[in-house]
Amino acid sequence: SCAFHSFSMDDINPSELHVNIPQFTQSELTPTYHFNETKGGLVLGCEHYMRECKLRHPTTGELYTCRLCCDEIRQSHRYNDEVLPQLDRYNVTEVLCMKCGSLQPAGKFCVNSECESNIKSKPFAKHYCSICHLYDDSGTDIYHCPFCNVCRKGKGLGIDFRHCMRCNACVSIGEKHKCISQRLMGNCPICHETMFESTEPLRGMKCGHVMHLSCFN
């Protein structure tokens, strides 16, 4: 015969419990807003992206509205990777819904059945990339390029863009450009900022080199 032992919570040694409960500051839990000219008012998100969730840093566990917000804090405080590593978009596994405050696995919709967004079947953003974990609710056409391995503005490869293997860059279909190997791997010759992952529009020159459109103007 089998003997069963009944036990209660009093039988459990607290030191044997290894429950990792995330601890966030009030600032991290507070929803962030940004004024949007098109909407004519404040919208959830930041100056970089409209979205209804925050990303949890895969290394530090802190919450940031987007990876660029994290980069700005790194730069303003001159933090190195030991203090605050860059937010690796590919390794993001959790997000915080700014509507209900639920921490959950990264996905397109809030999983909290009591959340207003869940009830209305409203996603965190119109565009969601499960690879880059990019959320953008601006309505801008965005596609993921498997060769660049980042999201780009546009309707997609074979639609309005193509990927030039030699340049290792997406170029507009029909655009005549001079190929330069890995032409986006360098920095902008004017501001010296990176171009491959830049969210700013780029301007191709007749010589084949590229710079930020704002720098060209």
Side-chain angles (χ1 to χ4, degrees), residues 169-198:
C170 288
V171 296
S172 178
I173 288 181
E175 174 189 333
K176 294 182 179 179
H177 74 284
K178 183 177 181 180
C179 286
I180 295 180
S181 180
Q182 306 292 320
R183 70 173 181 166
L184 294 185
M185 290 297 105
N187 295 335
C188 175
I190 305 300
C191 68
H192 304 294
E193 295 293 331
T194 181
M195 292 187 294
F196 185 75
E197 296 186 356
S198 175

Side-chain angles (χ1 to χ4, degrees), residues 106-130:
K108 189 171 184 176
F109 297 90
C110 179
V111 298
N112 179 8
S113 60
E114 298 181 359
C115 179
E116 173 188 349
S117 296
N118 181 291
I119 296 173
K120 295 181 179 179
S121 297
K122 187 178 184 299
F124 289 127
K126 293 182 179 68
H127 174 82
Y128 167 62
C129 176
S130 60

Side-chain angles (χ1 to χ4, degrees), residues 144-165:
H144 181 87
C145 175
F147 305 104
C148 294
N149 199 30
V150 295
C151 285
R152 302 289 192 195
K153 288 184 177 181
K155 295 181 179 179
L157 296 181
I159 302 176
D160 56 351
F161 280 88
R162 65 185 179 87
H163 185 86
C164 177
M165 293 300 183

